[in-house]
Amino acid sequence: MDFAFDARTEELRGKLLAFMDEHVYPAEKIAEEQRAELASPWDTPAIVEELKAEARKQGLWNLFLPGSEYGAGLTNLQYAPLAEITGRSPHLAPTALNCAAPDTGNMEVLTQFGSDEQKKQWLEPLLAGEIRSAFAMTEPEVASSDATNIRTRIDRDGDEYVINGRKWYISGAMNPDCKILIVMGKTDPDGEDIRRQQSMILVPSDTPGVQIRRAMQVYGYEDHSHGGHAEVVFDDVRVPAENLIGEEGGGFAIAQARLGPGRIHHCMRLIGMAERAIELMCRRAVSRTAFGKPIAQQGVVQNWIADARVSVEQLRLLVLKTAWLMDTVGNRGAHTEIQAIKIATPRTVVDILDKAVQAHGAGGVSQDFPLAELWASARTLKLADGPDEVHQRSLARRELKKYI
Ligand SMILES: Cc1cc2nc3c(=O)[nH]c(=O)nc-3n(C[C@H](O)[C@H](O)[C@H](O)COP(=O)(O)OP(=O)(O)OC[C@H]3O[C@@H](n4cnc5c(N)ncnc54)[C@H](O)[C@@H]3O)c2cc1C
């Protein structure tokens, strides 16, 4: 077993670490200042476009997409340590490299299931970073962790489909650059096979009847850098029949295919967030004195730091093993490990961030350090892309099956 990164990964890691130091970290404050001056808080600050141009010039672009036809041609194992680095600045770096959710998952869907025309119209501008996109599945009225509950209707009417429904927490949809939504709904709500009732369809955001109602908050944060999380109503929205992705009834399978890579990408970035939290915790602990000695000399703080380091090393190994399995036996073969990292990573990283907040005192919950926002962001990943309990249930069932 070889734990070293290969030459290509090492080369890209070196480039990316330098890009983060020279461009991304200094841009964090600038982005915040520029956002305060924007006409709409959902617009993209100019510095983000500058970062994108620089990343593209340096070949740090579309690294997430396996296969060399559209992406950088990296394996999951090669991409994992790079995504981790971007997680250290999760509100800027993934966007700068055109590797931000939900666009990544949407580009994967279009690459795998899109028609030539759909690829030309939507995949190409997404790959070029010219537009953004959203993925609309969750609905406020039903428990959406069970996709069979989805109520949005996609009804065929001649050469068109008509879409009616209400979605929420649709990431990216507040951003005016979000030009296309992939919408999940039911084309055959009474069909016998409950996993063949759903379809996915492309809906341009300027189609009449698409109403972006409001921005949903995350623990009070607007999450501007993610393009917000919108509540969206589809009111008799008509799109050409060619906008359907794949075949009628194929929506459930596409959703499953989309979520595998998305989940591991989130976990990789979360590990980067944890590394940043450890760094901040250590810097703070050595720089402040209480009751006659540096906070870093308190045994309890040392325990937090040691436990955080142990946890991050464990998580990283599991994430890398999962990436390797996805590359060698496919996403299906890596099902258990994908669920394992999706359960273990947010839970552990939330705890590490919480300890880093504690080590900072009041500063930890303030706007002067990134920890509070990182905590809120990490916490949502115990819900988004499938709540922990759903993964635990499914993983446990597979484990129990061996004994029945
Ligand atoms: C910041 C953020 C961004 C998001 N972005 C998007 C997006 O871009 N597009 C999109 O479509 N959705 C998005 N979501 C929605 C997210 O995917 C859903 O919240 C998630 O799938 C859960 O669905 P729900 O909220 O309807 O919870 P419900 O389905 O109502 O579940 C509530 C709780 O019930 C419990 N539960 C459910 N099923 C089981 C089970 N089988 N066993 C045990 N317990 C169970 C769990 O504790 C679960 O948390 C986002 C959410 C957040 C917070």
Side-chain angles (χ1 to χ4, degrees), residues 37 48 160 179 339 344 352 358 362:
E37 303 293 318
V48 174
E160 295 178 323
K179 301 295 182 202
Q339 288 187 316
I352 293 172
Q358 193 71 12

Side-chain angles (χ1 to χ4, degrees), residues 102 135-139 142-146 168-171 218 223 229 380 383-387 389-390 393:
F135 180 75
M137 185 160 104
T138 305
E139 301 179 1
V142 294
S144 304
S145 49
D146 178 356
W168 74 347
Y169 278 92
I170 307 311
S171 301
V218 171
D223 242 353
H229 310 283
T380 66
L383 283 170
D385 280 4
E389 296 75 17
V390 174
R393 171 175 172 263

Side-chain angles (χ1 to χ4, degrees), residues 5-137:
F5 296 127
D6 66 13
R8 175 125 201 251
T9 311
E10 278 299 3
E11 185 209 328
L12 286 166
R13 277 189 80 240
K15 262 190 183 181
L16 183 53
L17 286 168
F19 179 77
M20 297 289 291
D21 285 338
E22 285 165 32
H23 301 283
V24 176
Y25 299 129
E28 286 179 346
K29 207 162 173 44
I30 300 171
E32 217 174 279
E33 286 162 6
Q34 287 183 348
R35 192 175 293 286
E37 303 293 318
L38 292 172
S40 152
W42 306 107
D43 287 342
T44 306
I47 188 82
V48 174
E49 292 304 328
E50 288 170 34
L51 288 174
K52 281 165 70 177
E54 184 59 33
R56 204 168 180 181
K57 197 171 88 189
Q58 294 195 22
L60 296 169
W61 192 252
N62 291 338
L63 300 174
F64 73 97
L65 198 55
S68 46
E69 189 184 355
Y70 296 109
L74 300 180
T75 62
N76 285 297
L77 191 57
Q78 289 172 316
Y79 177 57
L82 306 174
E84 180 190 322
I85 295 169
T86 67
R88 295 174 63 94
S89 183
H91 302 301
L92 270 188
T95 306
L97 274 58
N98 213 35
C99 291
D103 301 299
T104 46
N106 295 340
M107 286 187 260
E108 278 156 6
V109 165
L110 288 166
T111 304
Q112 269 182 277
F113 304 99
S115 66
D116 288 345
E117 189 45 43
Q118 289 169 352
K119 285 180 182 161
K120 197 169 163 35
Q121 198 176 357
W122 302 114
L123 178 61
E124 287 180 12
L126 280 168
L127 286 168
E130 291 162 6
I131 60 167
R132 303 293 305 267
S133 60
F135 180 75
M137 185 160 104

